[in-house]
Amino acid sequence: MKRLQAFRFELRPNFEQQRSMRRFAGACRFVYNKALSLQQTRHAEGAKHLSYAGMCAALMEWKAQPETDWLRETHSQVLQQSLKNLDHAYVNFFARRAGFPRFKRRGRHDGFRYPQGCKLEQHSDRIYLPRLGWCRYRNSRVVSGEIKNVTVSLSGAAWFVSIQTEREVADTVPLPGGAVVGIDLGIARFATMSDGHHVEPRWARRRSRPTCWPSRPPR
């Protein structure tokens, strides 16, 4: 059976990598909010809701416009992942599992996700992030399994990476060891074990005791 597991580490990026991470997070927030505004405008005009593919087509148009051509500096996969997050938010809203999607604010949940393309070198304590290069991290545990996606997030003044992996695990539950003893409940004998031993009921043990005690010998 397949098992998903997340491993979180603190990153140790250099100055240029930190600048790029902030730019990536800002671009993802911008794309998310712009797509959400577009969906709301279409809804007010009575137009059909855009699918994920439709929002990706709009993203290509934004990259071609002079005022938003700076989006091309950000990795395309993390921008598309931001649109996918918005699409999931709408799906949950239509299914009544969550409220209506809200606009993202700067400084709250800043980050971005790579759906693929990341590499991990645990022996050298570094991870490869597309468009950012190799980045050091504080290696505190062994990462097992195949990398499925990588999320980079900002918490306070530190950057963190969450690596989600998938691996095969056994789906059987081990049985406890030791001998097995059967018990047969009865009336004459309270319980008879499969090995021949038996336990008498409490009332039988009381009857086996003497009902009177011998008098004390005369002094």
Side-chain angles (χ1 to χ4, degrees):
M1 107 182 200
K2 299 288 186 179
R3 178 184 177 184
L4 296 176
Q5 188 174 1
F7 302 85
R8 190 169 185 261
F9 306 97
E10 182 180 353
L11 288 172
R12 304 174 63 183
N14 56 39
F15 180 75
E16 290 298 328
Q17 289 174 333
Q18 291 186 46
R19 289 185 57 185
S20 298
M21 289 177 181
R22 291 185 180 275
R23 187 174 67 250
F24 281 23
C28 289
R29 181 175 60 253
F30 175 84
V31 167
Y32 184 98
N33 290 340
K34 192 172 180 63
L36 177 56
S37 178
L38 176 62
Q39 295 282 28
Q40 292 181 351
T41 301
R42 291 176 60 88
H43 177 74
E45 296 174 351
K48 186 179 179 181
H49 176 80
L50 279 178
S51 64
Y52 168 69
M55 289 189 291
C56 287
L59 174 60
M60 296 297 295
E61 297 178 1
W62 300 338
K63 288 183 177 181
Q65 296 173 1
E67 60 273 16
T68 52
D69 61 351
W70 52 269
L71 291 173
R72 290 181 294 181
E73 300 176 2
T74 303
H75 198 276
S76 59
Q77 289 186 2
V78 300
L79 296 179
Q80 294 169 1
Q81 184 64 44
S82 183
L83 294 178
K84 188 172 293 185
N85 294 341
L86 177 59
D87 185 63
H88 288 167
Y90 268 105
V91 170
N92 291 332
F93 169 72
F94 292 139
R96 298 183 178 181
R97 293 192 295 264
F100 192 80
R102 298 181 179 182
F103 290 97
K104 291 185 177 294
R105 296 170 53 186
R106 182 178 181 180
R108 295 189 60 185
H109 309 294
D110 287 342
F112 49 92
R113 174 177 293 180
Y114 292 99
Q116 59 184 5
C118 298
K119 303 175 184 178
L120 185 65
E121 288 188 356
Q122 301 186 61
H123 62 277
S124 57
D125 304 338
R126 63 178 189 166
I127 182 172
Y128 178 79
L129 305 173
R131 286 284 186 96
L132 295 175
W134 289 100
C135 183
R136 296 286 180 180
Y137 73 97
R138 298 185 182 275
N139 192 355
S140 57
R141 59 187 301 195
V142 177
V143 176
S144 56
E146 179 186 358
I147 298 178
K148 304 300 293 184
N149 58 73
V150 172
T151 302
V152 179
S153 59
L154 179 64
S155 179
W159 287 94
F160 292 84
V161 60
S162 179
I163 306 171
Q164 187 179 59
T165 65
E166 182 182 71
R167 59 190 177 95
E168 193 77 25
V169 296
D171 56 354
T172 57
V173 179
L175 297 176
V180 179
V181 179
I183 300 178
D184 182 19
L185 301 179
I187 298 178
R189 292 178 176 177
F190 178 71
T192 302
M193 308 297 181
S194 58
D195 56 1
H197 294 81
H198 64 272
V199 179
E200 294 183 353
R202 184 174 298 179
W203 62 268
R205 292 196 296 269
R206 287 200 302 264
R207 289 185 56 183
S208 62
R209 298 177 181 177
T211 56
C212 59
W213 299 92
S215 59
R216 295 181 179 180
R219 295 181 180 178

